[in-house]
Amino acid sequence: MADTFDHAPQVWNAGQLRQALANLPDDTPIHIGVAEDPGDFDGYRGGVLVDAHHVENWWPAVGNTPERTETETALTLFADWQPDTYDHRVD
């Protein structure tokens, strides 16, 4: 059996993000570092913020349960790789 551990990062809320952005000029790019492993930012992959919106979840109709859609209350930030020249991936 593999060793496991509980990972419980402090998830920021809108107020914390607003405070962090408070004094930045409007044209400041937002970079995002994503941990390679839970809590490990020594080897993080950098990204840039490209979009943000409330994600809509959809569930198909099953048995007596009708199709339904819900919009999440949390805002989802979407990051992409940083602008650069990359090799095409060959599958």
Side-chain angles (χ1 to χ4, degrees), residues 1-5:
M1 184 195 258
D3 288 335
T4 63
F5 66 96

Side-chain angles (χ1 to χ4, degrees), residues 39-83:
D40 178 12
F41 290 97
D42 289 337
Y44 74 88
R45 170 174 287 191
V48 292
L49 182 63
V50 295
D51 198 1
H53 58 86
H54 297 277
V55 172
E56 194 172 81
N57 294 313
W58 173 81
W59 292 270
V62 178
N64 294 340
T65 306
E67 175 182 309
R68 76 178 212 264
T69 302
E70 285 181 11
T71 301
E72 290 191 15
T73 55
L75 184 68
T76 300
L77 303 177
F78 292 90
D80 198 350
W81 288 33
Q82 297 184 40

Side-chain angles (χ1 to χ4, degrees), residues 11-26:
V11 178
W12 274 29
N13 60 38
Q16 289 168 299
L17 181 59
R18 214 175 277 115
Q19 184 177 3
L21 299 173
N23 297 316
L24 292 178
D26 288 345

